[in-house]
Amino acid sequence: MNQLPEQSDPSIDVALGIVIRHTARPVELLITKRPAKTVYAGYWELPGGKVHADESPEQAVIRELREELGIIVEPFQSLDVITYRYDHAHVRLHPFYCRHAAGEPRNLEVEAHQWIPLSDLDRYAFPEANEPIFQRICDDYGEAG
């Protein structure tokens, strides 16, 4: 019996922007809702997207937040890369803390966006791979998530 060689399962690199607003206690996190007819449609997520072959994850997060929300961000700290295997894909998430440098968020390539207190994270449906990122954010900002 001939065995087929194992198929390689290439990872998809995704850059994510963690944008925190310090207007009051509690601090607030910018989240976006995935559009209809996409994987995980209707779920909330950190804004971001796929890293193109000709760019770094840091460049991708800047581009993606400009394309999705019309805002300019300045990444200032990268967090640990997270790998996660979904049924549909194997992803490698590159999260960055970002300063919101300019622009007001608009729904350009997302269904919706919201600023939420970290304590409200459990009120929203997020893809599973986000959990360690949210734990890190809550640890860094001394908030329950």
Side-chain angles (χ1 to χ4, degrees), residues 50-71:
K50 292 180 185 174
V51 178
H52 293 170
D54 63 342
E55 66 186 355
S56 69
E58 188 174 35
Q59 292 168 324
V61 78
I62 294 167
R63 176 185 52 75
E64 285 286 346
L65 273 70
R66 185 182 65 244
E67 290 175 358
E68 290 184 357
L69 295 164
I71 63 173

Side-chain angles (χ1 to χ4, degrees), residues 95-112:
F96 291 90
Y97 278 122
C98 298
R99 279 184 197 84
H100 180 188
E104 285 303 313
R106 296 170 291 156
N107 301 329
L108 301 176
E109 293 184 2
V110 297
E111 185 174 318

